[in-house]
């Protein structure tokens, strides 16, 4: 008749040549949740015994552990996926496509800290229209009042909004920098936090970590609001796991210049014009093929509106915005800017210049007014025939004034 049992890890039995079982060893502490082989010994009242080998599969009692869960969304309640959620530097989770995360099996009556982190694609949603919003705030024309929008505008993470934020934002749009030097692409605010003064979110350090002093059972509302730095008009793609949102374009907006035949070795001044009464901002990447950019002559656009980082590859980035309605004047007669180029081969200007989104996306923007909603246009370039020719200078000094024949 069996009167007692003993249980041991198989590794302990097999690894000890002098092993001898004891009827008193009836408890085995399992600290891992992985299956493990064990030896179970059965004893009679005379001390005789036999054993069997078994596979022990631990099955924790869920009532013995706690759970932390939450959701991360933007201020417009758009779910944010792939956010790293760090719990006590022991558990690292990624939010799901619906912005949620959950961690079970946590020891109760313990303190926990929950911190989200995401630092990818600083250019997500950052456009020249954001520069206009920022400039209007800096100039006192139209102040931002939403605390999350103000946090997004503090690009340099200085606790204030200054001209440096404007410059960093523009450098990112132009492709001169790939990331903000003193900030992450996303910041997070505990969802139930109430800003004491919404127009000054830096009055106190807003909480970016949820601290639980004593986890008793379940905390299912450890929620955060995600803020994309630099995206002031909420145009960013908050969830990379979902299909890309195709923004509806209002049409095509073209820069203009006169087409002409370029002769190899000759230099040309090519004015680029635009009717700025129709838009408030524009940006894009100009591709130069078969020509060399020698210099730029500024008009409505100045040195700070251009990025030269990729000029050796034949790409010139640009970004311009109207800070004040009084500055938005038509430049169909006066050049927005002019290109001083040297032709490397005989080529049509319309074959040498093009607009694309290689580095800076090619778009034009019209701000909302009482008569219209905000509009986004695809930016292109139109080459006119039979107009006043751009000035061309041959390398030997002979002046050329060639148009494309009608």
């Amino acid at each position: 008749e069996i009167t007692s049992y003993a249980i041991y890890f198989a590794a302990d039995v097999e690894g000890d040549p002098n092993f001898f079982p004891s009827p008193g060893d009836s408890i085995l502490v399992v600290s891992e949740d992985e299956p493990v082989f064990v030896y179970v010994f059965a004893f009679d009242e005379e001390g005789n015994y036999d054993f069997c080998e078994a596979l022990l599969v631990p099955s924790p009692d869920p009532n013995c552990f706690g759970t932390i869960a939450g959701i991360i969304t933007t201020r417009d309640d758009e779910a944010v996926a792939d956010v790293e959620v760090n719990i006590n530097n022991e558990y690292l989770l990624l939010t799901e496509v619906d912005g949620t995360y959950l961690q079970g099996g946590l020891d109760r009556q313990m303190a926990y800290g929950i911190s989200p982190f995401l630092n990818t694609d600083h250019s997500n949603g950052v456009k020249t229209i954001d520069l206009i919003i920022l400039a209007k705030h800096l100039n006192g024309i139209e102040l931002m009042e939403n605390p999350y929008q103000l946090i997004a505008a503090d690009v340099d993470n200085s606790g204030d909004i200054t001209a440096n934020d404007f410059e960093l934002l523009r450098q990112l749009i132009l492709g001169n920098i790939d990331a903000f030097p003193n900030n992450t692409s996303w910041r997070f605010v505990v969802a139930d936090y109430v800003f004491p003064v919404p127009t000054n979110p830096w009055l106190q350090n807003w909480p970016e970590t949820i601290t639980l002093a004593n986890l008793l059972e379940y905390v299912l509302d450890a929620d955060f609001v995600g803020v994309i730095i630099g995206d002031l008009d909420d145009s960013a793609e908050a969830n990379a796991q979902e299909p890309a949102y195709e923004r509806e374009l209002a049409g095509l907006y073209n820069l203009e210049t006169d087409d002409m035949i370029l002769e190899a070795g000759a230099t040309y001044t090519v004015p680029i014009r635009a009717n700025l009464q129709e838009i408030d901002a524009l940006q894009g990447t100009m591709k130069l093929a078969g020509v060399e950019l020698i210099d730029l002559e500024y008009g409505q656009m100045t040195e700070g509106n251009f990025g030269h980082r990729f000029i050796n590859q034949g790409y010139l980035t640009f970004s311009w915005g109207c800070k004040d309605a009084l500055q938005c004047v038509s430049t169909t007669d006066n050049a927005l800017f002019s290109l001083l180029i040297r032709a490397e081969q005989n080529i049509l200007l319309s074959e040498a210049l093009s607009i694309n989104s290689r580095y800076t996306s090619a778009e034009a923007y019209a701000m909302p007014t009482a008569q219209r909603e905000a509009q986004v246009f695809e930016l292109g370039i139109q080459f006119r025939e039979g107009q006043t020719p751009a000035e061309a200078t041959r390398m030997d000094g002979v002046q050329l004034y060639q148009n494309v024949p009608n």
Side-chain angles (χ1 to χ4, degrees), residues 364-375:
Y365 312 93
M367 297 288 283
T369 66
Q371 293 75 33
R372 72 181 184 207
E373 295 182 351
Q375 294 178 309

Side-chain angles (χ1 to χ4, degrees), residues 96-164:
E96 302 290 343
V97 68
D98 60 357
T100 60
Y101 69 94
L102 181 149
Q103 179 63 55
L106 299 172
D107 292 332
R108 292 187 183 184
Q109 298 183 334
M110 295 282 292
Y112 290 93
I114 305 105
S115 302
F117 177 82
L118 185 58
N119 188 32
T120 59
D121 191 8
H122 285 235
S123 62
N124 182 16
V126 178
K127 309 289 185 182
T128 301
I129 198 69
D130 300 307
L131 282 177
I132 304 306
I133 297 172
L134 183 56
K136 287 186 175 183
H137 178 88
L138 289 171
N139 293 333
I141 299 172
E142 188 174 336
L143 296 178
M144 293 178 284
E145 298 181 348
N146 184 286
Y148 301 110
Q149 188 181 32
L150 290 166
I151 291 172
D154 182 20
V155 173
D156 64 0
N157 196 23
S158 65
D160 196 6
I161 298 176
T162 66
N164 189 52

Side-chain angles (χ1 to χ4, degrees), residues 244-267:
Y245 170 70
E246 295 293 336
R247 180 164 44 179
E248 184 177 352
L249 297 176
L252 177 65
Y253 177 84
N254 279 320
L255 303 176
E256 296 182 351
T257 193
D258 302 321
D259 204 1
M260 60 179 177
I261 300 172
L262 306 181
E263 186 174 296
T267 59

Side-chain angles (χ1 to χ4, degrees), residues 148-276:
Y148 301 110
Q149 188 181 32
L150 290 166
I151 291 172
D154 182 20
V155 173
D156 64 0
N157 196 23
S158 65
D160 196 6
I161 298 176
T162 66
N164 189 52
D165 298 310
F166 182 91
E167 183 59 26
L168 285 174
L169 204 59
R170 182 161 63 178
Q171 292 304 311
L172 187 79
I173 293 169
L174 291 172
N176 291 335
I177 59 175
D178 297 318
F180 301 126
N182 195 40
N183 214 340
T184 53
S185 61
W186 285 81
R187 299 293 294 275
F188 298 92
V189 182
V190 175
D192 61 3
Y193 177 70
V194 178
F195 291 92
V197 180
T199 55
N200 183 11
W202 308 281
L203 185 64
Q204 296 180 353
N205 292 328
W206 71 82
E208 297 186 77
T209 296
I210 292 176
T211 301
L212 305 175
N214 187 15
L215 179 63
L216 297 179
E217 189 173 1
Y218 301 102
V219 174
L220 304 179
D221 58 353
D223 304 336
F224 295 88
V225 175
V227 180
I228 305 178
I229 300 302
D231 176 32
L232 307 186
D233 70 339
D234 296 327
S235 63
E237 179 183 322
N239 195 331
Q241 292 189 27
E242 291 186 339
Y245 170 70
E246 295 293 336
R247 180 164 44 179
E248 184 177 352
L249 297 176
L252 177 65
Y253 177 84
N254 279 320
L255 303 176
E256 296 182 351
T257 193
D258 302 321
D259 204 1
M260 60 179 177
I261 300 172
L262 306 181
E263 186 174 296
T267 59
Y268 299 82
T269 299
V270 180
I272 306 297
R273 305 181 180 90
N275 183 0
L276 300 181

Side-chain angles (χ1 to χ4, degrees), residues 262 286-291 314 341 347-354 383:
L262 306 181
M286 178 172 285
K287 171 64 175 175
L288 296 90
V291 296
I341 59 175
I347 191 173
L348 283 173
L349 182 63
S350 56
E351 296 174 352
L353 300 183
S354 60
F383 296 89

